Amino acid sequence: MRKLIVAGNWKMNTSVAEGVELAKKVSDYVASKNLPAQKQVVIAPPFTHLAPIAQVINADKVILAAQDCAATTNGAYTGEVSASMLKGLGVKAVILGHSERRQYFKENSEILLKKIKLALAEGLDIIFCIGETKEQREAGANLYNNVIKAQLVDTVFTLTPEEFKKVIIAYEPVWAIGTGLTATPEQAQDIHAMIRKAIADNFGQAVADDTTILYGGSCKPSNAAEIFAKKDVDGGLIGGASLKADDFAKLIDAR
Ligand code: PEP
């Protein structure tokens, strides 16, 4: 079943105490709303916050996600956190392929596919981010559509249809992340439709119809409802606005 999801990517923000308070507010808000089963709320706090947050949220109401996982299972990899360690904390999903990881940590499709496989082996859902840079957007639709398709073809399109069911796609134009620039609802719809068609071409129409495709990039209470209303937009991956409980609540209500 295609889900409607509002997910918060906190990035490297908040102290543990602030994060626990924020998570509790989100959990209480969602609990007060009695959302339909199709609608889900996800939060992705920093690694250090996951264990205490798992203790305070209602796991039936809010899905706990991590922002990354290691490309290896265990061993001498200083600083890394494995998918199985995350699972042990009550984490249910992991964000992979975020443009900040691609840009600052040089994560390419080969590394990402390893992470995807390890996360899937632990039963985690994947929120897989794709999107074009400003330069690629300016080079025209032919180029940016191919860039986005290649990000899929080299990674999640190599999975089996059964594995792919655990994948949520987040279309995040890099030029819109944290910049205050947002894709217009029409721009978002065009790309989401193109992504869904690419999924249909690879896995068949039924799988494509069931795939959740989120929009991310400077989503806020003032612009979310219009973007989320588009036919192929199934919710949002939210950065900055997920750090304020009130704004995040409005975004939850916008979908
Ligand atoms: C993100 O980084 O996933 C994101 C969408 O950030 P922002 O909402 O701050 O643009």
Side-chain angles (χ1 to χ4, degrees):
M1 183 179 61
R2 194 193 302 186
K3 294 177 216 110
L4 307 176
I5 297 177
V6 176
N9 173 14
W10 295 4
K11 311 192 185 187
M12 195 170 69
N13 291 299
T14 74
S15 67
V16 174
E18 287 163 349
V20 167
E21 197 186 325
L22 176 58
K24 209 173 163 333
K25 280 189 187 159
V26 172
S27 180
D28 289 348
Y29 184 74
V30 178
S32 75
K33 295 294 287 187
N34 210 5
L35 299 178
Q38 192 200 6
K39 187 163 169 176
Q40 297 184 341
V41 175
V42 178
I43 54 170
F47 285 138
T48 45
H49 301 29
L50 293 168
I53 285 178
Q55 304 298 314
V56 299
I57 58 170
N58 180 339
D60 294 333
K61 303 287 179 191
V62 176
I63 295 168
L64 189 59
Q67 298 173 20
D68 186 27
C69 71
T72 44
T73 47
N74 68 296
Y77 299 98
T78 303
E80 290 291 82
V81 177
S82 72
S84 101
M85 292 169 184
L86 295 170
K87 187 186 179 189
L89 290 177
V91 167
K92 301 277 175 13
V94 59
I95 298 173
L96 293 173
H98 193 282
S99 62
E100 287 151 16
R101 301 287 321 168
R102 292 178 192 262
Q103 187 184 346
Y104 305 137
F105 302 97
K106 307 289 169 244
E107 293 194 359
N108 57 23
S109 292
E110 194 189 335
I111 294 170
L112 290 171
L113 187 56
K114 285 184 186 157
K115 294 186 175 197
I116 290 167
K117 294 263 186 192
L118 290 171
L120 288 175
E122 295 300 331
L124 301 180
D125 287 340
I126 315 286
I127 299 176
F128 188 63
C129 304
I130 54 176
E132 80 285 5
T133 63
K134 184 166 174 282
E135 293 70 34
Q136 290 163 342
R137 162 84 27 188
E138 284 167 358
N142 218 8
L143 185 118
Y144 62 72
N145 283 337
N146 283 337
V147 165
I148 293 165
K149 274 189 212 155
Q151 290 171 339
L152 294 165
V153 167
D154 296 342
T155 56
V156 291
F157 279 8
T158 68
L159 301 174
T160 66
E162 208 44 43
E163 288 171 326
F164 188 75
K165 282 188 187 152
K166 301 281 284 174
V167 177
I168 294 152
I169 303 293
Y171 167 57
E172 298 211 309
V174 182
W175 48 271
I177 295 178
T179 58
L181 295 174
T182 314
T184 63
E186 291 70 32
Q187 284 172 327
Q189 169 57 27
D190 280 355
I191 302 288
H192 282 232
M194 183 275 289
I195 293 170
R196 203 175 298 284
K197 165 130 190 355
I199 297 169
D201 291 344
N202 200 70
F203 290 112
Q205 194 60 48
V207 173
D209 288 342
D210 272 358
T211 303
T212 298
I213 309 176
L214 308 179
Y215 169 78
S218 299
C219 252
K220 41 188 182 277
S222 57
N223 61 21
E226 238 193 313
I227 299 172
F228 293 174
K230 290 292 177 189
K231 166 167 159 289
D232 286 295
V233 180
D234 305 312
L237 178 57
I238 321 292
S242 70
L243 294 168
K244 293 189 194 123
D246 290 352
D247 281 357
F248 196 56
K250 287 183 190 137
L251 289 161
I252 292 168
D253 289 343
R255 190 59 183 88

